[in-house]
Amino acid sequence: MSKFFSEKYSSLTPYTPGEQPKDAQYIKLNTNESPFPPTEKAVSCAAEAAERLNLYPDPECFLLTSRLADILGVDREEVLLTNGSDEILNFAFMAYCDDAHPAAFADITYGFYKVFAELNRVPYEIIPLSDDLTIRSDDYIGINKTIFIANPNAPTGIALTLSEIERIVESNPDNIVVIDEAYVDFGGESAVPLIKKYDNLLVTQTFSKSRSMAGARLGFGVGCKELIRDLNTVKYSTNPYNINMMTMAAGIGILEDEETVRERCKTICENRTYTADALTTLGFECIPSSTNFIFARHPHLDGETVYLKLKEAGILVRHFTTERIKDYNRITIGTREQMEALVTAMIGILGELLYK
Ligand code: PMP
């Protein structure tokens, strides 16, 4: 750290992204990316846009926002596109958290919430998951805090029902409730329709997972017009051109391929069932997942050892060192071939460690 670094930030512990290895060809099951490339339409739209990179992109994102709003069944003024959903989550911390409105989120959830709270220097309450790693919705009823809930939650993969979400939103009318739906397309129930009924609900989603565009950085928030206006104030005060021209074009392209996106989600869900069944047969405990990943542990194996052994076998999964979940690994669901390779590697690891 330089002697110039502001005291405001010098004690920050930044978010640790999943490994992006450069040294070897791994089967990458560690960052919940899609195993499918973006569709041809998305790629060709981005390539066309590349020819206009001498110009600034449309700061309003007019066309993409209009098309997305149509698909979501909301008005254009109820949607804000951002540089990944990480950006809209940060905007929400900036806009809706302060000393009078502390943040609240689970102990085991998306790690960026804590980082954003600290970055923005807002107080926060951490609400532990129950013993079975579910979010207890009762813990969020009428708590008078700005609530951040990943639904389905990560890294557990467990979803709350829409009626539980609605109960939380309804019981906190003076605070914003942010529902982070990064994984909703793999089995969750979206709260987007509720934005018409509740002025304190902000739903965030991403093009990174189901729409195969993690590298393009595109996410969005959906909420009533007043909320989107607040968030635009933050956007235009930080980075008005937050969506680059190629990403915007790719986003417009992929929205023309909704059917393909849906089919791919179905394939991921089938591969998830295959993987969970195979791992369960091998003695793993897999939490039933509504996402494109599985959170699994083996009663007789240490989580870190499994992670390291898989890495040796050329397969990367995500291991967290947090005490409550250190026995688990989070395994992204990839193609059938990738998942078969994972199962084969696991059989080898079990043979080596348990049945030698
Ligand atoms: N929310 C959750 C729960 C996530 O796991 C992630 C990404 N790993 C994000 C939000 C952010 O995704 P992105 O910025 O790629 O949209």
Side-chain angles (χ1 to χ4, degrees):
M1 183 193 323
S2 86
K3 65 181 182 188
F4 307 105
F5 198 23
S6 167
E7 230 179 76
K8 278 196 310 230
Y9 301 127
S10 54
S11 61
L12 262 184
T13 308
Y15 177 70
T16 314
E19 290 166 87
Q20 297 292 356
K22 290 158 196 83
D23 58 331
Q25 277 295 330
Y26 285 99
I27 295 181
K28 242 185 124 287
L29 306 177
N30 67 329
T31 46
N32 298 341
E33 289 145 327
S34 169
F36 306 110
T39 61
E40 270 176 40
K41 184 86 198 160
V43 174
S44 66
C45 287
E48 268 171 42
E51 292 175 18
R52 286 175 278 122
L53 283 177
N54 54 314
L55 305 175
Y56 283 105
D58 170 16
E60 267 188 78
C61 252
F62 187 88
L63 196 56
L64 176 56
T65 311
S66 306
R67 301 251 164 102
L68 183 57
D70 282 349
I71 288 172
L72 296 168
V74 300
D75 296 338
R76 191 173 52 78
E77 298 80 7
E78 292 169 328
V79 180
L80 177 63
L81 269 299
T82 52
N83 193 306
S85 53
D86 282 338
E87 190 178 47
I88 190 99
L89 291 166
N90 188 32
F91 286 176
F93 273 91
M94 291 168 82
Y96 301 119
C97 298
D98 54 30
D99 288 343
H101 305 89
F105 44 84
D107 59 341
I108 307 297
T109 189
Y110 187 35
F112 231 138
Y113 303 154
K114 185 161 177 266
V115 178
F116 285 141
E118 288 180 356
L119 174 72
N120 292 295
R121 298 158 74 86
V122 296
Y124 56 90
E125 183 193 352
I126 291 187
I127 302 179
L129 299 182
S130 54
D131 289 344
D132 61 0
L133 299 184
T134 53
I135 288 179
R136 224 174 307 139
S137 52
D138 283 352
D139 291 346
Y140 294 81
I141 299 301
I143 61 170
N144 277 324
K145 299 206 165 72
T146 302
I147 296 170
F148 291 80
I149 293 179
N151 194 46
N153 197 13
T156 62
I158 303 169
L160 287 174
T161 63
L162 192 54
S163 58
E164 286 172 294
I165 294 289
E166 180 163 9
R167 212 159 63 87
I168 294 168
V169 175
E170 194 175 18
S171 71
N172 289 282
D174 298 324
N175 283 86
I176 296 295
V177 178
V178 179
I179 304 298
D180 171 355
E181 296 187 347
Y183 300 103
V184 74
D185 296 333
F186 303 100
E189 273 178 290
S190 178
V192 164
L194 296 182
I195 67 123
K196 298 281 184 192
K197 196 166 161 194
Y198 298 98
D199 65 359
N200 62 326
L201 171 64
L202 178 71
V203 180
T204 66
Q205 290 189 14
T206 181
F207 281 58
S208 297
K209 315 292 178 187
S210 57
R211 293 196 174 97
S212 303
M213 278 180 44
R217 312 305 302 126
L218 190 60
F220 59 92
V222 195
C224 71
K225 292 175 190 173
E226 290 73 20
L227 294 194
I228 297 303
R229 227 174 281 139
D230 300 339
L231 295 161
N232 262 311
T233 301
V234 174
K235 164 186 148 160
Y236 280 91
S237 307
T238 50
N239 186 6
Y241 303 110
N242 62 339
I243 312 295
N244 76 71
M245 201 179 271
M246 291 171 72
T247 293
M248 209 183 291
I252 292 166
I254 200 99
L255 290 185
E256 287 183 26
D257 286 323
E258 284 291 277
E259 191 49 42
T260 307
V261 168
R262 263 193 298 276
E263 271 164 29
R264 287 172 167 189
C265 288
K266 205 166 141 248
T267 304
I268 295 291
C269 292
E270 286 162 8
N271 294 350
R272 181 177 73 202
T273 304
Y274 160 78
T275 311
D277 288 352
L279 292 181
T280 305
T281 307
L282 295 177
F284 281 86
E285 294 164 11
C286 299
I287 297 180
S289 168
S290 302
T291 63
N292 67 338
F293 56 84
I294 288 177
F295 207 43
R297 70 173 172 189
H298 194 287
H300 307 303
L301 291 176
D302 166 67
E304 189 177 12
T305 307
V306 173
Y307 158 76
L308 290 171
K309 284 282 170 196
L310 281 173
K311 193 169 178 182
E312 254 175 58
I315 299 176
L316 266 190
V317 297
R318 186 89 193 251
H319 180 254
F320 299 89
T321 50
T322 314
E323 188 55 33
R324 272 191 94 176
I325 53 170
K326 66 178 176 24
D327 292 342
Y328 288 85
N329 280 291
R330 191 194 68 190
I331 303 164
T332 303
I333 303 300
T335 61
R336 183 63 177 246
E337 294 70 33
Q338 288 176 321
M339 303 329 286
E340 283 170 359
L342 171 91
V343 172
T344 305
M346 286 293 202
I347 292 170
I349 292 167
L350 292 175
E352 184 191 333
L353 298 177
L354 293 183
Y355 309 114
K356 36 183 184 211

